[in-house]
Amino acid sequence: MALQKMDHFIDNLPPMDLMRSERMTFVQLIIPVESAHRAISYLGELGLLQFRDMNGDKSPFQRTFVNQVKRCGEMSRKLRFFKEQIQKAGLLSSAHSTLEPDIELEELEVQLAEHEHELIEMNSNGEKLQQSYNELLEFKIVLQKAVGFLVSHNSHAVTDETELDENVYSNGDFGESSSLLEQEMRSGSSIQSTVRFISGIIPRSKVLRFERMLFRATRGNMLFNQTLADEEILDPTSNEMVEKTVFVVFFSGEQARTKIIKICEAFGANCYPIPEDITKQRQLTREVVTRLSELEATLDAGIRHRNQALASIGLHLTKWTNMVRMEQAVYDTLNRLNFDVTKKCLVGEGWCPLFAKPQIQEVLQRATCDSSSQVGIIFHVMEATESPPTYFRTNCLTNGFHEIISAYGVARYQEANPSVYAVVTFPFLFAVMFGDWGHGICLLLGALVLIAREKKLSIQKLGSFMEMLFGGRYVLLLMSLFSIYCGLIYNEFFSVPFHIFGGSAYRCRDDSCSDAHTVGLVKFRDPYPFGVDPSWRGSRSELPFLNSLKMKMSILLGITHMNLGILMSYFNARFFRSSLDIRYQFLPQIIFLNSLFGYLSLLIITKWCTGSEADLYHVMIYMFLSPTDDLGENELFWGQRPLQIVLLLSAVVAVPWMLFPKPFILKKLHTERFQGRSYGMLDTSEVDLDLEPDSARGAHHADFNFTEVFVHQMIHSIEFVLGSVSNTASYLRLWALSLAHSELSTVFYEKVLLLAWGYDNIVIRLVGLVVFAFATSFILLMMETLSAFLHAMRLHWVEFQNKFYFGDGYKFVPFSFASLTEDAD
């Protein structure tokens, strides 16, 4: 009778958008070929229809519109090439659409091909000119630097050097040949005919290896001179400036010349011929300088022309990219449809929300009119054998909480949505662990900054961490507000208590009480009106008092949260018309949990209200070991012992109640249904098949395996019984993290800030303040926030949602142009 009244009350409640996912319907579209492209484009703008792939057995190259997809892919490649060239040139592409009239895809394809050909040609010419410019610049540098190493052909000067400097190697180990320097010292005339040189330029990073290789190849019979070039030279391949070194190698013999040239080629050294005549050197230098100035002017003109072309492309790049991306998405979607050659139409199937049917029909009618098609698009509802996708309409406030829940698993179709309750329970459980209204204000300021800059940040490309933080800005806002509330209850502001709501209810026992923190206090007025009395802070009873308070409060919050989860399982069973789950799952679970841990919550509240000294550990342990023994001093109210016996028996009965009836009743219903004894039961049965998802309807016709059902029910029952104990203990993390946060904050305040402030030295005070600010920011505001966030998430995913949430659905992903823009690089 009570269940019937509850059902009647629930049926009369107004519907909630977020309580359950949107009702979905399976539809079929029959689209004439001439209006197919326009219809899919309009549906992409609407974004409320998810197409099913009807060509799953075909490869991408066997589909109807594969050529159009290839064309769009080729245009996307060209647009990426343009974007890379614009970024390489240091130009900015316009993010706003221009006033250019709309163009067709074919015309855009021609334009992109022309622009690509023009850019490739300009790049090729620019690379050739740059290479020529680099060669002339290197030639000029070699002419300027190598002259100092050369001895004039006409001077016949004999050097007086008797030893090599640091850049000249000699090898005395080989007695077969004397060094070049010795030859030069013996005869100035003979060196004219035997000693030759090769000059060139090489990257500075290769000089040492290059010199060693030359020394080994010539067995030390060479002179190597080097000097650093005054100018850096642009590398056309990497577009970076490279430091280079000018070298001159003196050698003798044709065989040595051949070896040196091969080594130069292997190390990428560029060799340039230098005449020995000074007049020819000067004349050649003037010619090189003149050609360099001409090439520089040509390069500047080419770069200006190329930048102008890139700038004109950049004005339309965003619009072209969006257009190509949308066109490719349209053809990809058309490839998911079945092409009927005889009727010249496309047949598509998909899911859409029930509320979107009029909008979709209106869009299809508009597509028919705009394409001037003589045949309209047929849109009709079908029955499906698969489960519908899950779709929730969210806003900026609820989306963050919905994403937290969906990270565990997408809700089953029309399953109760935990994110409705997580909007309140998630930030509150976080605040219980992070209760400090000073830290809460810091989080609030950060959340308000993100919300104030919402429009600006939403169009920027953020990093992974900032994107996650910005997406959860309203989650952070509620977490900070609840933290301020819990911090006021704990009376902690950076671990410092304040007399916010009046004076303390305690005072010193007598006049000799100079320090209230070292001796006992006496109560002389009404209790502190809100939160923890500030006199507890620093007293000898602070830790035992706060430990007891926070531990018992964690148990009360945990039992309430788990009861809410079990209650949600009732709403699920009620919605899907499954009275079996109500009678043999919801009722025994609620009885078992509250017979044990609900009773513990009652004892905690009674002890707080009466001020009793009863030991609750003793009461709960001996409730199982000796339920009939006298409680003595641990009796909190009259009739406690009989009540404990009744609750213990209820918990014992609830276990077989969960385990046995449901599998046997399902077996009986299956047997009667397929033997034809009582088909009438289906109308008023335990499960109304017409209201279930299509997948559930199909499942009833599958083979019934009693062993599998019984084992599944046994696992579920054992998991709930053991989980009731472990889940309750898991909520003690609220107490542990709250205590850890409070004590850590106290350590930083007393051992860092107050200790530094006790010195008269201003430097020590500033260092203490900086260390305190750093510890507060990075440890308490970042690491502790992340820790409390993860623990609150775990309490929702495991302890709360395992009571009712399956999370085995799949997300509704409609064909939408808006999602393409969001996913763009």
Side-chain angles (χ1 to χ4, degrees):
M1 190 69 181
L3 287 175
Q4 292 179 355
K5 290 182 179 179
M6 184 182 291
D7 292 345
H8 180 72
F9 173 75
I10 292 173
D11 289 338
N12 293 328
L13 287 176
M16 293 176 61
D17 288 339
L18 275 176
M19 183 63 196
R20 300 192 183 276
S21 60
E22 296 290 338
R23 293 187 62 187
M24 309 296 290
T25 181
F26 191 71
V27 299
Q28 185 184 55
L29 301 177
I30 302 177
I31 311 173
V33 174
E34 60 270 15
S35 58
H37 184 278
R38 197 177 296 270
I40 299 299
S41 300
Y42 289 173
L43 289 174
E45 294 173 359
L46 182 63
L48 287 173
L49 181 62
Q50 175 179 329
F51 287 94
R52 191 175 72 170
D53 191 358
M54 301 181 65
N55 298 315
D57 55 338
K58 296 181 180 179
S59 69
F61 302 100
Q62 295 175 332
R63 307 205 176 196
T64 308
F65 299 94
V66 61
N67 292 328
Q68 288 82 348
V69 172
K70 288 181 180 178
R71 289 171 57 193
C72 292
E74 182 64 19
M75 286 189 284
S76 298
R77 183 195 60 79
K78 294 175 183 176
L79 290 169
R80 288 194 300 270
F81 170 71
F82 297 153
K83 186 177 181 180
E84 291 172 358
Q85 292 296 311
I86 290 173
Q87 292 175 349
K88 189 175 179 181
L91 304 176
L92 296 176
S93 58
S94 175
H96 304 285
S97 58
T98 59
L99 298 178
E100 180 192 11
D102 294 336
I103 59 176
E104 297 294 332
L105 188 66
E106 290 77 10
E107 185 179 352
L108 177 60
E109 187 177 14
V110 173
Q111 287 189 18
L112 294 181
E114 292 175 353
H115 288 309
E116 184 188 30
H117 178 72
E118 182 183 5
L119 271 179
I120 290 176
E121 189 174 356
M122 284 191 291
N123 289 340
S124 177
N125 294 335
E127 288 176 1
K128 292 178 181 177
L129 288 174
Q130 186 66 47
Q131 186 175 0
S132 301
Y133 179 82
N134 288 349
E135 291 176 355
L136 286 174
L137 182 60
E138 289 179 351
F139 196 7
K140 185 190 79 169
I141 294 172
V142 171
L143 283 171
Q144 292 174 350
K145 295 292 183 180
V147 170
F149 301 130
L150 300 179
V151 180
S152 174
H153 179 74
N154 298 322
S155 64
H156 305 292
V158 179
T159 65
D160 295 331
E161 295 177 357
T162 59
E163 60 181 0
L164 297 177
D165 60 14
E166 60 180 350
N167 293 321
V168 179
Y169 288 82
S170 65
N171 192 344
D173 296 336
F174 297 94
E176 305 154 354
S177 61
S178 60
S179 66
L180 290 176
L181 187 57
E182 292 174 354
Q183 295 178 14
E184 184 181 1
M185 292 173 65
R186 292 195 197 101
S187 171
S189 60
S190 62
I191 198 171
Q192 293 182 7
S193 59
T194 59
V195 176
R196 288 181 290 179
F197 67 91
I198 292 177
S199 58
I201 193 167
I202 189 172
R204 186 180 180 183
S205 59
K206 300 180 180 179
V207 170
L208 185 59
R209 292 182 286 121
F210 178 63
E211 186 178 1
R212 287 177 180 173
M213 184 61 71
L214 288 175
F215 180 80
R216 292 171 182 173
T218 60
R219 297 184 178 183
N221 292 300
M222 61 94 187
L223 289 175
F224 186 85
N225 295 277
Q226 62 172 327
T227 183
L228 187 64
D230 296 333
E231 302 179 42
E232 293 183 346
I233 299 175
L234 179 67
D235 186 357
T237 57
S238 62
N239 202 24
E240 294 179 355
M241 303 301 292
V242 180
E243 289 185 348
K244 294 204 173 185
T245 299
V246 178
F247 67 89
V248 176
V249 183
F250 293 94
F251 61 91
S252 177
E254 184 64 26
Q255 187 176 3
R257 177 179 176 277
T258 305
K259 291 180 180 179
I260 293 172
I261 290 176
K262 289 183 178 179
I263 293 173
C264 290
E265 292 176 354
F267 278 85
N270 298 325
C271 299
Y272 297 96
I274 299 177
E276 295 185 8
D277 190 359
I278 297 178
T279 305
K280 292 182 179 179
Q281 290 176 4
R282 291 175 180 173
Q283 181 181 359
L284 188 59
T285 303
R286 286 195 297 270
E287 293 177 0
V288 170
V289 171
T290 304
R291 291 182 60 191
L292 271 175
S293 60
E294 294 175 355
L295 269 178
E296 190 171 354
T298 306
L299 276 173
D300 290 340
I303 291 174
R304 285 196 301 270
H305 178 62
R306 180 172 173 272
N307 288 343
Q308 289 176 359
L310 289 174
S312 64
I313 293 174
L315 293 174
H316 314 291
L317 186 63
T318 303
K319 180 178 179 180
W320 290 347
T321 303
N322 292 334
M323 178 180 175
V324 172
R325 187 181 293 114
M326 289 189 292
E327 286 291 328
Q328 186 169 1
V330 168
Y331 285 117
D332 284 335
T333 305
L334 286 171
N335 277 332
R336 300 171 72 91
L337 276 59
N338 190 11
F339 182 65
D340 192 338
V341 181
T342 58
K343 299 179 181 178
K344 294 183 180 180
C345 64
L346 293 167
V347 180
E349 296 176 353
W351 294 97
C352 71
L354 197 60
F355 71 86
K357 285 174 58 179
Q359 302 176 44
I360 294 175
Q361 290 174 339
E362 181 183 354
V363 161
L364 295 178
Q365 290 177 1
R366 182 159 57 92
T368 303
C369 296
D370 292 346
S371 59
S372 302
S373 176
Q374 297 180 354
V375 181
I377 300 174
I378 300 175
F379 175 86
H380 64 93
V381 179
M382 297 177 60
E383 289 190 3
T385 57
E386 60 184 23
S387 178
T390 303
Y391 173 55
F392 291 99
R393 284 186 285 180
T394 59
N395 52 36
C396 57
L397 175 62
T398 58
N399 184 65
F401 296 98
H402 181 69
E403 290 299 323
I404 291 174
I405 299 300
S406 297
Y408 176 81
V410 179
R412 182 180 290 184
Y413 176 66
Q414 295 260 288
E415 186 179 26
N417 185 17
S419 58
V420 177
Y421 307 94
V423 173
V424 176
T425 59
F426 186 88
F428 180 71
L429 292 182
F430 169 86
V432 171
M433 296 179 277
F434 195 79
D436 188 302
W437 62 280
H439 299 153
I441 289 175
C442 295
L443 292 182
L444 178 62
L445 293 176
L448 291 177
V449 169
L450 292 175
I451 294 173
R453 302 180 64 188
E454 183 174 349
K455 292 183 179 179
K456 184 178 180 180
L457 293 174
S458 60
I459 59 176
Q460 293 181 358
K461 188 174 182 181
L462 307 173
S464 57
F465 177 76
M466 276 302 298
E467 187 176 357
M468 179 180 64
L469 201 62
F470 177 71
R473 58 195 180 279
Y474 289 100
V475 179
L476 187 63
L477 174 67
L478 290 179
M479 284 161 46
S480 62
L481 293 176
F482 277 92
S483 296
I484 293 173
Y485 170 73
C486 287
L488 292 173
I489 291 180
Y490 296 156
N491 202 346
E492 292 185 8
F493 178 83
F494 295 100
S495 79
V496 181
F498 284 91
H499 295 78
I500 304 174
F501 302 100
S504 172
Y506 299 90
R507 66 179 178 184
C508 294
R509 183 175 298 165
D510 50 35
D511 295 336
S512 63
C513 177
S514 59
D515 188 359
H517 301 305
T518 59
V519 297
L521 302 175
V522 293
K523 187 175 181 180
F524 75 102
R525 64 166 67 172
D526 292 336
Y528 195 67
F530 186 84
V532 176
D533 195 302
S535 292
W536 286 104
R537 177 66 63 178
S539 67
R540 290 175 297 178
S541 305
E542 175 192 4
L543 199 57
F545 169 73
L546 291 179
N547 262 339
S548 176
L549 172 68
K550 293 182 178 180
M551 181 177 64
K552 293 180 173 63
M553 184 180 65
S554 300
I555 293 175
L556 293 177
L557 292 175
I559 299 303
T560 304
H561 203 209
M562 288 191 292
N563 272 295
L564 176 62
I566 298 175
L567 188 62
M568 295 304 299
S569 69
Y570 167 77
F571 288 123
N572 274 338
R574 176 69 183 81
F575 180 82
F576 292 117
R577 309 292 184 185
S578 176
S579 59
L580 276 179
D581 289 337
I582 296 175
R583 294 172 187 171
Y584 305 109
Q585 188 165 306
F586 164 71
L587 287 177
Q589 285 182 359
I590 202 78
I591 290 172
F592 181 85
L593 180 67
N594 290 286
S595 295
L596 301 180
F597 301 103
Y599 174 62
L600 175 60
S601 303
L602 175 64
L603 293 181
I604 292 173
I605 296 173
T606 306
K607 183 176 179 179
W608 280 349
C609 295
T610 60
S612 173
E613 296 294 332
D615 186 0
L616 299 186
Y617 296 106
H618 183 279
V619 173
M620 292 302 298
I621 290 173
Y622 283 92
M623 176 181 174
F624 295 93
L625 297 180
S626 303
T628 59
D629 288 356
D630 188 16
L631 296 173
E633 296 178 354
N634 294 321
E635 187 171 0
L636 287 140
F637 53 87
W638 180 85
Q640 183 177 351
R641 186 174 63 177
L643 177 62
Q644 289 185 173
I645 296 174
V646 171
L647 292 177
L648 186 60
L649 291 175
S650 300
V652 171
V653 171
V655 176
W657 189 357
M658 268 188 287
L659 177 59
F660 294 107
K662 186 176 177 180
F664 287 98
I665 292 175
L666 287 175
K667 181 180 180 182
K668 180 183 176 183
L669 289 175
H670 177 80
T671 304
E672 292 179 350
R673 180 181 297 114
F674 287 97
Q675 287 183 356
R677 292 182 182 176
S678 57
Y679 287 97
M681 286 185 64
L682 291 177
D683 297 331
T684 59
S685 81
E686 314 292 338
V687 181
D688 189 349
L689 299 179
D690 293 333
L691 295 176
E692 275 197 311
D694 296 314
S695 60
R697 267 181 276 171
H700 288 294
H701 297 283
D703 293 336
F704 181 83
N705 190 332
F706 174 76
T707 304
E708 183 179 348
V709 173
F710 185 81
V711 170
H712 180 270
Q713 186 67 21
M714 181 175 63
I715 293 173
H716 182 76
S717 302
I718 295 174
E719 182 184 9
F720 178 81
V721 172
L722 298 179
S724 298
V725 181
S726 62
N727 293 165
T728 304
S730 184
Y731 278 94
L732 293 178
R733 72 185 66 236
L734 299 174
W735 156 51
L737 266 75
S738 174
L739 187 64
H741 182 82
S742 176
E743 292 301 316
L744 197 59
S745 181
T746 302
V747 168
F748 289 143
Y749 174 71
E750 293 181 353
K751 303 302 180 182
V752 176
L753 187 61
L754 292 185
L755 187 63
W757 220 253
Y759 293 89
D760 292 334
N761 193 332
I762 186 64
V763 176
I764 296 178
R765 290 187 174 185
L766 287 176
V767 170
L769 185 61
V770 170
V771 173
F772 175 76
F774 179 84
T776 300
S777 301
F778 289 93
I779 297 179
L780 295 177
L781 291 180
M782 290 184 64
M783 296 178 63
E784 286 285 313
T785 300
L786 181 60
S787 175
F789 179 88
L790 294 176
H791 282 286
M793 185 185 296
R794 182 241 151 79
L795 290 176
H796 280 77
W797 281 1
V798 180
E799 278 70 30
F800 174 57
Q801 292 176 199
N802 70 349
K803 306 293 187 299
F804 68 96
Y805 189 70
F806 289 96
D808 56 355
Y810 64 101
K811 194 175 181 180
F812 175 63
V813 185
F815 171 60
S816 173
F817 291 151
S819 61
L820 295 177
T821 306
E822 291 172 2
D823 296 338
D825 293 332

